[in-house]
Amino acid sequence: MKIIILKLIFTLQILLYSPLILLVIIIYPVLKIRIGCVKSKSFGSLVLEPEIFLCEKRAGIYKRNEIFLWYHEKIISNKYLLDKRKKQLIFLPGFLLHPIMIFFSKFKFTHKHIYVDVVYNPQKKKFTINLEKLYTDQKLLKKHKTSIVFSKDEIELGDKYLNKNNIYKDDKIILFGARTSFYKNENYVSLRNSDIGLQAKSMKYVAANGYKAIRIGKEKIKKLNINSNRIFDYTFADYNNEFLDIYIPSRAKFMVTGPTGLNELATIMKVPRLLINFTPFKDLHYVNESFTPIILFKKLFSKSLKKNLGYKEIFEKKLFDVDTVDKIPNEYQLVDNTEDEILEATIEMIKLIDSKCLNLKFEVMKQNKFWEIYQDFYGSKKDMIISPSFFQKNIELFN
């Protein structure tokens, strides 16, 4: 019954907005109006997708007669960031634009009236990822400065907050974060989830070697029991807000996080990231390699063979092409990165980013065979490297 009512409402909306829909189609040769949705419910999408569009505009990809109208979802993951976007883009109410966008998305000939990163595949008769545009966007993100510019007052406010928590202007900051099911109240276990406690050893190391460590993220689970004025657990701080959620990453030397929306803050703030506990190889083409020089994969243990599976076999069986742990056959057990694996990779990031003594080209050559295997299954070779220590200690998994 609910589905019937929703379909009826949608039909009535289309009838109501039909003069506007017809007008957009008729004037398209002269004035190209396109509609885009800012996926404000997802923090990663809210951070990254408008940034890509703004980079495209700066690059001169769109002509003067192209007008983009935007709306956002009802749920907003970060109101501060959305307010920034509202000063950069033309927003109209979702109740007006959403049904029109849905209507345009249903037909191939009207797809030109919406802004999405997909292309129509006539063989599969559906819209698929436009990889060519995706790689162009990644290059643009590297080329152009961030669109998130803080005012003088905002900088003073952010720095004052950090000063109160023993983080000062000249400090070299490394951020740490992990995804859990807590933030979105998920009733399942995502392959992307990991334990922030396993990053504590890395935090202690960087704190003892001239850096300040900040744990970020909204998931208030597992408070860090570390007594150090060089390690700040922002997640459990007495005070935090959505402005600080954005400002703090802008001050970082680099980030250490799992595959979560927090990563896209690194992309738009031009901050390198160490990506740990990674599994979704089918989505690796989304990861901007310009800001992800080093990556660390989860492993998969075979209970019957009593050993970890090689990644080629994982690719063949599509074992990491699922989203939740319960979809992995019972024969296999997911293995997160250990605290020592994360520590060694963190040290390698310091060598690469700060000390400039990690030979990236040499490591790329050593790992070339694996990336060729990856390319055979997922269609694109990556320039990033697997943590050299992890690669060497698990060399049998990469052949």
Side-chain angles (χ1 to χ4, degrees):
M1 186 67 182
K2 185 178 180 181
I3 295 175
I4 295 174
I5 293 173
L6 289 174
K7 285 184 177 180
L8 180 61
I9 292 173
F10 175 74
T11 303
L12 291 173
Q13 286 176 318
I14 294 303
L15 289 173
L16 179 64
Y17 300 145
S18 57
L20 180 58
I21 292 171
L22 187 61
L23 178 64
V24 170
I25 294 172
I26 291 172
I27 68 173
Y28 190 77
V30 180
L31 188 63
K32 303 180 188 302
I33 297 176
R34 294 168 69 184
I35 298 171
C37 174
V38 173
K39 300 178 183 67
S40 56
K41 181 179 179 180
S42 166
F43 182 71
S45 296
L46 175 59
V47 169
L48 186 61
E49 291 172 10
E51 189 73 15
I52 289 173
F53 171 75
L54 292 167
C55 285
E56 290 172 341
K57 280 194 70 175
R58 284 182 227 149
I61 290 176
Y62 304 114
K63 297 178 181 177
R64 290 184 177 180
N65 69 333
E66 291 184 86
I67 296 177
F68 291 81
L69 305 177
W70 301 87
Y71 68 97
H72 62 81
E73 296 171 322
K74 289 182 179 180
I75 298 175
I76 302 169
S77 56
N78 187 290
K79 190 175 183 301
Y80 169 82
L81 186 55
L82 182 61
D83 287 343
K84 283 281 188 183
R85 295 307 186 199
K86 286 183 176 180
K87 294 176 183 178
Q88 299 165 330
L89 307 171
I90 301 172
F91 276 86
L92 292 178
F95 68 81
L96 172 64
L97 294 185
H98 179 68
I100 297 175
M101 183 168 180
I102 296 299
F103 175 82
F104 283 153
S105 69
K106 290 183 178 294
F107 308 100
K108 181 183 175 182
F109 82 98
T110 56
H111 194 251
K112 60 189 175 184
H113 299 297
I114 59 178
Y115 177 84
V116 286
D117 295 335
V118 297
V119 63
Y120 185 75
N121 187 322
Q123 293 179 333
K124 296 183 178 180
K125 295 183 179 180
K126 67 177 183 179
F127 294 105
T128 56
I129 299 166
N130 186 343
L131 287 176
E132 184 179 345
K133 182 181 185 303
L134 179 66
Y135 297 137
T136 300
D137 291 341
Q138 290 185 350
K139 290 177 182 177
L140 289 174
L141 286 165
K142 182 181 179 181
K143 181 179 179 181
H144 294 279
K145 293 181 179 179
T146 178
S147 68
I148 305 300
V149 179
F150 301 106
S151 68
K152 183 179 178 181
D153 288 343
E154 286 175 334
I155 294 171
E156 288 180 357
L157 183 66
D159 288 346
K160 185 178 179 180
Y161 175 84
L162 290 174
N163 290 347
K164 287 183 177 179
N165 292 282
N166 299 307
I167 312 290
Y168 304 104
K169 185 177 180 181
D170 296 327
D171 283 339
K172 294 187 288 186
I173 301 167
I174 300 177
L175 305 184
F176 294 84
R179 187 189 190 281
T180 72
S181 299
F182 181 84
Y183 177 47
K184 294 185 177 181
N185 297 315
E186 297 165 348
N187 58 1
Y188 55 85
V189 180
S190 170
L191 265 69
R192 296 188 293 149
N193 291 356
S194 59
D195 182 357
I196 188 67
L198 294 175
Q199 298 181 34
K201 192 171 184 178
S202 297
M203 296 182 207
K204 291 175 184 177
Y205 174 87
V206 301
N209 286 271
Y211 299 86
K212 296 286 181 72
I214 302 179
R215 183 264 189 99
I216 57 172
K218 289 188 175 182
E219 292 97 335
K220 292 184 181 294
I221 186 170
K222 203 162 201 176
K223 187 175 183 179
L224 297 175
N225 293 314
I226 304 174
N227 186 19
S228 171
N229 63 4
R230 301 187 67 86
I231 300 174
F232 174 39
D233 192 344
Y234 171 70
T235 298
F236 280 89
D238 293 336
Y239 175 79
N240 48 37
N241 62 34
E242 294 182 341
F243 157 66
L244 292 168
D245 293 347
I246 307 301
Y247 180 73
I248 290 174
S250 74
R251 291 279 315 276
K253 196 75 176 177
F254 66 84
M255 296 174 64
V256 180
T257 68
T260 169
L262 289 173
N263 279 313
E264 302 310 342
L265 280 175
T267 303
I268 68 167
M269 295 301 178
K270 318 302 176 186
V271 174
R273 61 191 172 195
L274 164 61
L275 188 53
I276 63 174
N277 282 307
F278 189 85
T279 57
F281 288 99
K282 63 183 175 64
D283 297 328
L284 189 55
H285 50 252
Y286 286 118
V287 176
N288 194 310
E289 53 200 331
S290 298
F291 305 103
T292 316
I294 301 178
I295 192 167
L296 200 53
F297 306 139
K298 288 188 180 185
K299 290 178 278 194
L300 205 58
F301 182 76
S302 169
K303 297 174 185 176
S304 62
L305 298 175
K306 296 182 179 179
K307 67 175 184 178
N308 292 316
L309 288 186
Y311 288 102
K312 184 178 180 180
E313 187 172 355
I314 291 174
F315 297 163
E316 289 172 340
K317 295 181 177 180
K318 301 180 184 276
L319 294 171
F320 279 169
D321 286 8
V322 299
D323 298 321
T324 57
V325 173
D326 63 293
K327 292 179 182 178
I328 296 177
N330 290 331
E331 153 66 8
Y332 306 109
Q333 180 179 345
L334 192 64
V335 182
D336 287 8
N337 297 142
T338 67
E339 59 180 3
D340 286 330
E341 288 171 345
I342 297 170
L343 171 61
E344 289 166 351
T346 301
I347 293 171
E348 289 161 351
M349 276 292 285
I350 291 173
K351 288 179 179 178
L352 176 66
I353 304 302
D354 215 5
S355 306
K356 312 290 184 185
C357 63
L358 182 66
N359 190 333
L360 209 58
K361 290 183 179 180
F362 176 70
E363 298 299 337
V364 168
M365 289 175 59
K366 284 170 57 178
Q367 300 179 12
N368 188 58
K369 183 180 177 181
F370 165 76
W371 289 112
E372 287 178 350
I373 293 172
Y374 167 83
Q375 186 176 25
D376 290 340
F377 288 91
Y378 296 103
S380 61
K381 195 174 176 181
K382 306 301 288 184
D383 289 333
M384 63 183 67
I385 65 166
I386 302 150
S387 163
S389 57
F390 181 82
F391 183 83
Q392 198 60 44
K393 289 179 180 179
N394 298 279
I395 190 71
E396 73 281 357
L397 304 181
F398 295 97
N399 297 319

